[in-house]
Amino acid sequence: MKQQAGLLTAIILFACLTTGFAQHKHSFKIEDGHFVYDGKPTAIYSGEMHYARIPREYWKQRLQMAKAMGLNTITTYVFWNFHETSPGVWDFKTGNHNLREFIKTAAAEGLMVILRPGPYACAEWEFGGYPWWLQNNKNLVIRTNNKSFLDSCNTYITKLITEIKDLQITNGGPVIMIQAENEFGSYVAQRKDIPLSEHKAYSAAIKNQLVKAGVTVPLFTSDGSWLFEGGTIEGALPAANGEDDVANLRKVVDQYHGGKGPYMVAEYYPGWLDHWAEPFPKVSTEAVLKQVKKYLDNDVSFNFYMVHGGTNFGFTAGANYDKDHDLQPDMTSYDYDAPISEAGWVTPKYTALRDMFKTVVKYPVPVVPPAIPVITIPSIKLTSSLDLEAYKSVVKPVVSDTPLSFEALNQGYGYVMYTKQFDQPVNGKLTIKGLRDFATVYVNGERKGVLNRYYNTYSMDIHIPAKAKLEILVENMGRINYGSEINNNLKGIISPVMIDSATITGGWLMYRLPMDKMPVLADGSCKSMKGQPTLYGATFTLNKTGDNFLDMHKWGKGIVFINGHNLGRYWSVGPQQTLYVPGVWLKKGSNKVVIFEQLNDSTQNTLETVSMPVLEKLVPR
C-alpha cells in the first residue's frame, strides 16, 4: 500500500508540474517600468520558434531545448494564411496547425508564451502571412486604413482570439503578451506616399480589433529604434528590434512610453535569414555572447529571433528583393544559424548560451533533452517516371486571349503551364516583363531557355516554326514578405507576352498545377525525356525511422514529397543542397517518395540520403 501511495503521490506531483499554468493562476502586468510576474519584477528571456515550421510531434522536444538553454518564454508568430487555408475555411486542429496544443505544450514545459499574430508577420513566410486571395479584391489595399482590408483583418483577428482567449494569463493560461501589428514603422518609412495620420489610423484600428476580440494581456509593438514614430501605438509597449545599444534603447522607449520601461529587444538576431543563390550568413558565437551579456548586465529583456528556425515546408517560404534582384526567394531551410539547428540539435552557440544562462537565472535550468534519432537510408532506386506533358494531360486548361495570373486562375501556389499554338513561324526576342517568378520555355517539347526573376532575366531569343507549340512553365517561388513591394505580389504571367514588338494574344491555354497533393505515379511507369520536366517516384522500405536529409546536389530544381508531405523546394544553385526529412513523416515498412524535377538536365535513377545537412555550398552561376 505504501508503494501504491508513493506512486499515486508521484503521479499527482508530475501532473502538477507538467500542467504548470493550468494548475495555478498567475498574473503578469507592466507597471512601474517593469514586467511584473506574480507581483515580482521579472525579466523576459525569450526564444522565437514557429510552430508552423516544426512537425507537431517535435514541438515538445524543441520547447524542452529552449527551456534547457535557460529561457523562460517562447515567442511565436501566428500566420494568417496558415490557418485560413482557403477563403472562409479555417484550420486550427490538424497537424502543426493546432496552435492551442503548442501553447499548452509550452506551458507544460514551464514556459511563458508571447504571441505575434500580425495580421502581418514578415518572418520570411509566404506573403508575410497574408492569404494570397486578398489580392483578388480590387477594393482592398493591404496594410492601410482601407475598409475592405480592415474588415478582412477583423475576421481573422476575431477567429484567432476566439481560439486562444482562455489561454491568456488573465484567464489562467501562459500567454503573457500579444503583439499589435508588426514592424509597422518600417512600412511607414517605405510608404511616405501615405500620410502619417492614415498610417496611425490603421495601426490603431488593428489594436482596437485585438482588444474588442478579447485580448486582455499587455500589447506591444516592435520596430527598429529609429522607426518608433511610425510604428508605436498608444497603449502598447514599444520594443526595439535588433537594438544593441542599451543607452539608445532606454532613450527611445522612454520617449514613447512615458519616460520609463520596461526595456525589451523584441528581436535579437543570433543568426540571419538565407536566400537561394546567396552565401549562407553566419553570426559568431563570440558576438552573440557579448551582446547577450550586455542585455543581462543591464536588465534588458530580449527575444532570440530565432532560437530555432525550423523549415519552410511546402510552398511556405517567402521572398525579399533588393536593388540587384527583383526577387530573392528564401530557402526551404530556416535554420537561421540559430542556437538550435533546423533538426533540433545542440550547436556550439547553444552550449555557450546555456552555460551563460546557468550562471545568471534564478530558476533551475533542466538537462538538455536527447536529440531526435538520425538514420541513413540506402540508395533509393527510382522505379517510375512521368513527364509533365503526360501528367498534365488530365488537367482541363483555362482558355484566355491573354495569359492570366495565378490569382485570376484561383491558384495560390505551385506551377502553371502556359501554352500557345502558332500557325505561322515567328522569330525574335521573347520578353515577359511580368514574369513571376521562374520560367522554363519550350518549343514543341524542346527546352529553349530559362527566365528567372532572381537574375532579372526576362527575355531570350526564340525561333518558333509554323504549326509549333510554345510552352512556358512558370513557378511561384514565394510572395514577397517585406517592403513596399508586398503590395505587388501577383504570380504567374502578369504582363503581355511579347516577341519583339508584337503582343502574343489569342488562344492561350493555362494548365493549373498546384502540386497541393503528392502526385500519384503508377509503379513501373517510365516516361521521361532529358530536358523535360519530370515526376520521379519510388517506394522504399524501412526497418526503423528517424530524421535524415535528402541529398539533392545532383538534381536541378523542384520539390519533393514523402508520404504525402511536401518537404519544400530544392535548387542546385545552393547554398542549400539537402532537404530535411522529419522521421515522424516516415513509416516502418513501405514509404513513397515523389520528386518533381523542373529542369531534368540528366535522367535520374536514384535518390540518396545523408546524415548531415548541407546548407553552405553555393554553386557559382
Side-chain angles (χ1 to χ4, degrees), residues 604-615:
Q604 301 288 340
N605 298 305
T606 61
L607 178 65
E608 310 296 333
T609 70
V610 292
S611 59
M612 295 290 291
V614 179
L615 300 178

Side-chain angles (χ1 to χ4, degrees), residues 284-422:
S284 73
T285 297
E286 293 72 22
V288 172
L289 290 176
K290 182 179 178 180
Q291 188 59 46
V292 172
K293 186 176 187 305
K294 191 186 298 186
Y295 295 148
L296 293 170
D297 289 346
N298 289 277
D299 193 27
V300 172
S301 292
F302 52 90
N303 172 48
F304 287 103
Y305 189 99
M306 303 289 293
V307 73
H308 168 61
T311 309
N312 294 314
F313 295 115
F315 298 119
T316 60
N320 293 294
Y321 60 95
D322 65 12
K323 61 183 180 61
D324 299 318
H325 307 281
D326 292 342
L327 190 81
Q328 295 170 288
D330 295 311
M331 295 195 327
T332 298
S333 172
Y334 201 60
D335 178 86
Y336 215 88
D337 191 29
I340 305 168
S341 78
E342 178 182 14
W345 299 346
V346 168
T347 66
K349 196 175 290 181
Y350 177 95
T351 300
L353 285 165
R354 183 173 189 267
D355 289 344
M356 177 181 285
F357 278 113
K358 285 170 68 177
T359 66
V360 174
V361 300
K362 301 293 193 294
Y363 45 82
V365 176
V367 297
V368 179
I372 305 297
V374 176
I375 63 170
T376 53
I377 301 172
S379 181
I380 299 169
K381 183 179 180 181
L382 301 171
T383 54
S384 56
S385 62
L386 185 69
D387 65 30
L388 192 65
E389 186 66 27
Y391 178 74
K392 75 177 180 63
S393 64
V394 297
V395 178
K396 183 179 180 180
V398 175
V399 183
S400 174
D401 284 339
T402 58
L404 301 176
S405 70
F406 277 42
E407 290 75 11
L409 292 167
N410 198 34
Q411 179 177 321
Y413 315 109
Y415 310 81
V416 170
M417 178 71 89
Y418 296 82
T419 71
K420 172 80 170 83
Q421 188 76 36
F422 285 77

Side-chain angles (χ1 to χ4, degrees), residues 86-398:
S86 59
V89 177
W90 299 88
D91 185 358
F92 284 95
K93 302 296 183 186
T94 68
N96 57 346
H97 292 82
N98 195 326
L99 173 58
R100 287 182 61 85
E101 182 179 327
F102 179 79
I103 294 171
K104 289 180 176 181
T105 305
E109 298 305 324
L111 292 159
M112 299 180 285
V113 177
I114 295 173
L115 295 183
R116 307 177 73 186
Y120 166 73
C122 187
E124 291 70 63
W125 187 267
E126 221 277 339
F127 205 2
Y130 291 128
W132 60 266
W133 61 82
L134 293 179
Q135 299 174 103
N136 283 339
N137 182 346
K138 302 307 178 187
N139 296 318
L140 186 151
V141 185
I142 68 168
R143 283 198 107 178
T144 63
N145 188 30
N146 168 274
K147 185 179 185 304
S148 294
F149 179 60
L150 285 171
D151 286 349
S152 296
C153 290
N154 191 54
T155 299
Y156 159 64
I157 287 170
T158 301
K159 182 70 175 177
L160 169 64
I161 302 305
T162 299
E163 288 288 327
I164 60 90
K165 189 183 302 184
D166 63 315
L167 298 178
Q168 296 174 99
I169 199 165
T170 43
N171 294 320
V175 177
I176 58 170
M177 290 200 298
I178 291 177
Q179 186 178 6
E181 238 285 344
N182 179 52
E183 297 177 331
F184 190 58
S186 299
Y187 195 68
V188 171
Q190 294 153 358
R191 295 297 306 274
K192 295 185 183 299
D193 55 311
I194 299 174
L196 181 59
S197 59
E198 280 294 289
H199 282 308
K200 289 291 189 179
Y202 160 71
S203 58
I206 294 298
K207 178 205 165 188
N208 292 337
Q209 288 181 1
L210 288 163
V211 173
K212 184 177 179 181
V215 170
T216 52
V217 295
L219 292 165
F220 72 101
T221 60
S222 59
D223 293 279
S225 58
W226 64 98
L227 299 167
F228 274 22
E229 181 183 7
T232 55
I233 302 174
E234 186 174 352
L237 172 71
N241 285 355
E243 183 57 70
D244 59 3
D245 185 330
V246 171
N248 191 57
L249 173 66
R250 293 181 185 277
K251 177 184 174 182
V252 293
V253 172
D254 286 351
Q255 183 181 349
Y256 290 90
H257 196 244
K260 58 186 177 182
Y263 306 103
M264 182 168 180
V265 176
E267 291 187 2
Y268 166 63
Y269 308 110
W272 196 243
L273 60 96
D274 312 297
H275 298 132
W276 290 109
E278 296 177 9
F280 185 100
K282 304 282 277 189
V283 179
S284 73
T285 297
E286 293 72 22
V288 172
L289 290 176
K290 182 179 178 180
Q291 188 59 46
V292 172
K293 186 176 187 305
K294 191 186 298 186
Y295 295 148
L296 293 170
D297 289 346
N298 289 277
D299 193 27
V300 172
S301 292
F302 52 90
N303 172 48
F304 287 103
Y305 189 99
M306 303 289 293
V307 73
H308 168 61
T311 309
N312 294 314
F313 295 115
F315 298 119
T316 60
N320 293 294
Y321 60 95
D322 65 12
K323 61 183 180 61
D324 299 318
H325 307 281
D326 292 342
L327 190 81
Q328 295 170 288
D330 295 311
M331 295 195 327
T332 298
S333 172
Y334 201 60
D335 178 86
Y336 215 88
D337 191 29
I340 305 168
S341 78
E342 178 182 14
W345 299 346
V346 168
T347 66
K349 196 175 290 181
Y350 177 95
T351 300
L353 285 165
R354 183 173 189 267
D355 289 344
M356 177 181 285
F357 278 113
K358 285 170 68 177
T359 66
V360 174
V361 300
K362 301 293 193 294
Y363 45 82
V365 176
V367 297
V368 179
I372 305 297
V374 176
I375 63 170
T376 53
I377 301 172
S379 181
I380 299 169
K381 183 179 180 181
L382 301 171
T383 54
S384 56
S385 62
L386 185 69
D387 65 30
L388 192 65
E389 186 66 27
Y391 178 74
K392 75 177 180 63
S393 64
V394 297
V395 178
K396 183 179 180 180
V398 175

Side-chain angles (χ1 to χ4, degrees), residues 484-499:
S484 59
E485 285 298 305
I486 199 169
N487 275 290
N488 299 309
N489 254 328
L490 299 179
K491 292 298 182 178
I493 295 178
I494 67 170
S495 71
V497 174
M498 311 287 293
I499 298 182

Side-chain angles (χ1 to χ4, degrees), residues 546-568:
D547 288 358
N548 61 91
F549 303 87
L550 300 184
D551 181 0
M552 306 307 297
H553 83 277
K554 292 182 180 179
W555 295 70
K557 194 174 196 305
I559 56 175
V560 181
F561 293 87
I562 283 188
N563 294 333
H565 297 277
N566 186 337
L567 301 179

